[in-house]
Amino acid sequence: MPKRSGKPKLPKSLQVARRGAVVILTLARPEKRNALNDATVLGLEAFFETLPTGVKAVVLNAQGNHFSAGLDLSELKVLSTEEGIAHSRVWHRIFDKIEFGRVPVVTVMQGAVVGGGLELAAATHIRVAERSAYYALPEGSRGIFVGGGGSVRLPRLIGVSRIMDLMLTGRTYSAEEGQALGLSHYLVEPGEGLAKAIEIARRIATNSPTTNFAIMQALPRIAEQDRASGYVMESMMAAIAQGNEEAKTRIKAFLEKKAAKVTRDS
Ligand code: 1HE
């Protein structure tokens, strides 16, 4: 397979910084509260399609006080029904490329994580919330509906009933509520999200690529299968992972007392 160049032409609203095996991708449109316009969403696709081969995890964060105000409403106002369907399908295609992409993505969330911003965060694998984060789906009050896969992903995270409440009433969840419900995996103080996300991404980058592949590609699909099919897929994935040389080396290192034990997080 040809080596990836890792140098896509990205819009101004996306910035990239490499830190060894981790790449930090930053939403950089704070003057519009990182509202997701077409250029940004297509830029996400270009970025994830051309990740250099040595990259093993991505951190997604955003400039300013808000992670993302969601869909750029100034672009939506001119779309016909047919164009609206096509627009939503583009988001589906691109967010799927993130969720079922090559490497795990750790997102840092602060301030507003709303509408399409929440849909984007939900397409990533680990979410770190700063205490300023809050979550909303204001589509109801704008007369629209989620279009970035939110009705598929978000109920799987926190249940249809809670998403109905968010959308019908326009209520928000605080960072603490989001943490308790599972919208975030980690809750940190303001300004600490990026460091935490990089620490997590570096840890993920040390896993065997086969295990990370199984976790990203097999685990969510098994969750959507019936039990019997899930067991078959799990046993095949387990056999593939443990059959490879990297697993043998890692297990041997543990048995020879050369690998770290499992200890409590401090
Ligand atoms: C925007 C957007 C946007 C801000 N599209 N331009 N999303 C929403 O309904 C959320 C709308 N945004 C807000 O409620 C607020 O902007 C925030 C709570 C996120 C931030 O408030 P604040 O006071 O810090 O900023 P602001 O003054 O409201 O906005 C700053 C600028 O960003 C301003 O533009 P300016 O030219 O007057 O400076 C805003 O117009 C602009 N801005 N949010 C366009 N969303 C695939 S379907 C997904 C469907 C959805 O995502 S629906 C949810 C849409």
Side-chain angles (χ1 to χ4, degrees):
M1 208 195 273
K3 284 231 168 206
R4 294 158 188 264
S5 78
K7 292 243 184 306
K9 200 169 156 13
L10 295 181
K12 274 205 325 286
S13 54
L14 290 176
Q15 290 183 2
V16 175
R18 180 86 187 249
R19 298 270 187 286
V22 173
V23 172
I24 303 168
L25 173 65
T26 304
L27 303 178
R29 207 181 168 219
E31 69 285 1
K32 294 288 180 191
R33 307 307 182 251
N34 300 308
L36 299 168
N37 56 6
D38 288 350
T40 306
V41 175
L42 291 168
L44 290 172
E45 179 170 51
F47 169 83
F48 281 99
E49 277 186 335
T50 55
L51 267 183
T53 21
V55 172
K56 298 196 169 154
V58 169
V59 168
L60 172 66
N61 73 342
Q63 289 180 357
N65 294 332
H66 300 284
F67 173 69
S68 173
L71 173 68
D72 188 318
L73 294 167
S74 67
E75 290 189 343
L76 192 69
K77 66 179 186 223
V78 296
L79 296 187
S80 68
T81 300
E82 289 73 20
E83 288 166 335
I85 290 173
H87 182 267
S88 166
R89 300 295 289 157
V90 169
W91 282 51
H92 293 163
R93 180 186 82 214
I94 296 173
F95 286 12
D96 261 5
K97 284 185 185 168
I98 299 174
E99 183 176 2
F100 297 109
R102 196 170 61 71
V103 302
V105 182
V106 183
T107 297
V108 184
M109 305 180 295
Q110 78 278 15
V113 185
V114 307
L118 181 55
E119 294 181 284
L120 171 60
T124 66
H125 306 92
I126 303 288
R127 287 169 296 279
V128 177
E130 295 190 352
R131 275 193 200 279
S132 63
Y134 62 97
Y135 310 95
L137 292 170
E139 282 81 352
S141 60
R142 308 279 178 238
I144 55 177
F145 190 60
V146 283
S151 63
V152 173
R153 289 192 183 90
L154 293 168
R156 284 171 165 79
L157 276 184
I158 63 170
V160 176
S161 162
R162 291 197 182 92
I163 300 304
M164 263 191 193
D165 181 25
L166 283 172
M167 294 188 75
L168 285 173
T169 67
R171 76 177 285 181
T172 63
Y173 283 136
S174 66
E176 288 76 14
E177 287 171 317
Q179 173 72 13
L181 293 173
L183 285 173
S184 61
H185 300 85
Y186 299 86
L187 182 60
V188 298
E189 297 306 318
E192 293 180 358
L194 180 59
K196 182 71 183 174
I198 292 173
E199 175 198 321
I200 293 166
R202 288 204 167 124
R203 169 84 192 257
I204 288 171
T206 66
N207 292 340
S208 145
T210 311
T211 306
N212 279 353
F213 172 84
I215 295 165
M216 285 179 66
Q217 307 295 334
L219 185 68
R221 287 172 168 116
I222 289 170
E224 290 176 7
Q225 286 175 345
D226 63 281
R227 271 173 175 254
S229 312
Y231 287 143
V232 172
M233 183 135 157
E234 180 184 273
S235 59
M236 289 192 298
M237 202 60 253
I240 290 168
Q242 69 214 21
N244 92 19
E245 277 314 304
E246 181 147 0
K248 295 195 191 330
T249 308
R250 287 172 182 240
I251 292 167
K252 184 163 171 280
F254 174 76
L255 294 174
E256 291 171 356
K257 308 209 179 304
K258 292 178 189 153
K261 293 185 187 183
V262 179
T263 52
R264 290 164 66 112
D265 283 346
S266 49

